[in-house]
Amino acid sequence: PAPQALDAPPVGQRRPAGIDTPATRRGELFHACLERHAPPGAMRDLPQLAARLGLAAELPDIEAAARALIARADLAPLFDPARYRAAHNELTLIDSNGQRHRIDRLVEHDDGLWLIDYKTGEDSLTASDAELAARHRPQLDAYRALLAALKPGRVIRAVLLRADGRLVDVSPL
């Protein structure tokens, strides 16, 4: 078949950013802190990002909250390298249409995979688990389908991880 065009802006142009609010900027910084500190970790210049987002003064608190989340004993199977085979932060997958999909965290255990999507916004703390699962199921189902093609036969558990540490199971319908 003929190659399909990628859904990308012309070279040198960027897509318009999503909604820019103080909450979305804090969420972006919180995600970056998790990416930096969750093993295997990624080199991120957090002070530079915080400055660009206008959150330099909030970086210590946001970084401490991310570290505290990673250190929670009940989340050790997702963040303690002694408890899993491998982990990947910000894993990018490309579907058959050339669309990029970015998984916040993927953790490989002997008995299957954990697909983790961070939800750090204030709305995720006020919404019910059922509302969050319904809202994000299409996204996580797409990720699950891509992973199933790469890891056939593996059990894939998809969850949302809220900033308060609660896991929301997003089982397929």
Side-chain angles (χ1 to χ4, degrees), residues 134-159:
R135 186 181 314 154
H136 298 288
R137 181 171 283 108
Q139 171 193 5
L140 295 181
D141 283 349
Y143 294 169
R144 190 187 335 260
L146 290 168
L147 286 171
L150 293 172
K151 306 273 187 176
R154 301 292 307 270
V155 173
I156 301 170
R157 183 170 180 194
V159 296

Side-chain angles (χ1 to χ4, degrees), residues 22-35:
T24 60
R25 290 192 298 272
R26 280 192 295 279
E28 181 179 345
L29 185 57
F30 193 83
H31 269 75
C33 290
L34 289 170
E35 182 185 357

Side-chain angles (χ1 to χ4, degrees), residues 2 13 15 21 29 36 38-39 45 50 52 66 69-70 85 90 119 122 124 149 163 172:
Q13 293 182 8
R15 290 179 189 222
T21 66
L29 185 57
R36 170 69 181 96
D45 188 339
R52 181 176 61 77
L69 184 65
I70 291 166
R85 277 190 196 174
E90 296 294 321
K119 294 301 170 203
E122 292 174 21
S124 72

Side-chain angles (χ1 to χ4, degrees), residues 58-170:
E58 294 183 46
L59 176 59
D61 290 338
I62 292 172
E63 191 169 17
R67 285 178 182 261
L69 184 65
I70 291 166
R72 286 177 54 132
D74 59 324
L75 297 177
L78 306 180
F79 293 110
D80 179 357
R83 305 277 302 268
Y84 54 76
R85 277 190 196 174
H88 312 274
N89 293 319
E90 296 294 321
L91 180 66
T92 301
L93 301 174
I94 309 228
D95 67 20
S96 61
N97 295 319
Q99 297 291 314
R100 287 182 343 145
H101 301 266
R102 182 159 296 147
I103 296 172
D104 289 338
R105 185 162 175 83
L106 179 67
V107 180
E108 298 183 45
H109 289 272
D110 290 338
D111 61 349
L113 306 171
W114 282 71
L115 187 167
I116 303 152
D117 195 61
Y118 301 137
K119 294 301 170 203
T120 59
E122 292 174 21
D123 64 326
S124 72
L125 296 175
T126 58
S128 72
D129 289 359
E131 290 170 322
L132 280 176
R135 186 181 314 154
H136 298 288
R137 181 171 283 108
Q139 171 193 5
L140 295 181
D141 283 349
Y143 294 169
R144 190 187 335 260
L146 290 168
L147 286 171
L150 293 172
K151 306 273 187 176
R154 301 292 307 270
V155 173
I156 301 170
R157 183 170 180 194
V159 296
L160 303 172
L161 176 58
R162 297 172 8 149
D164 64 2
R166 195 157 92 220
L167 291 173
V168 177
D169 184 39
V170 184

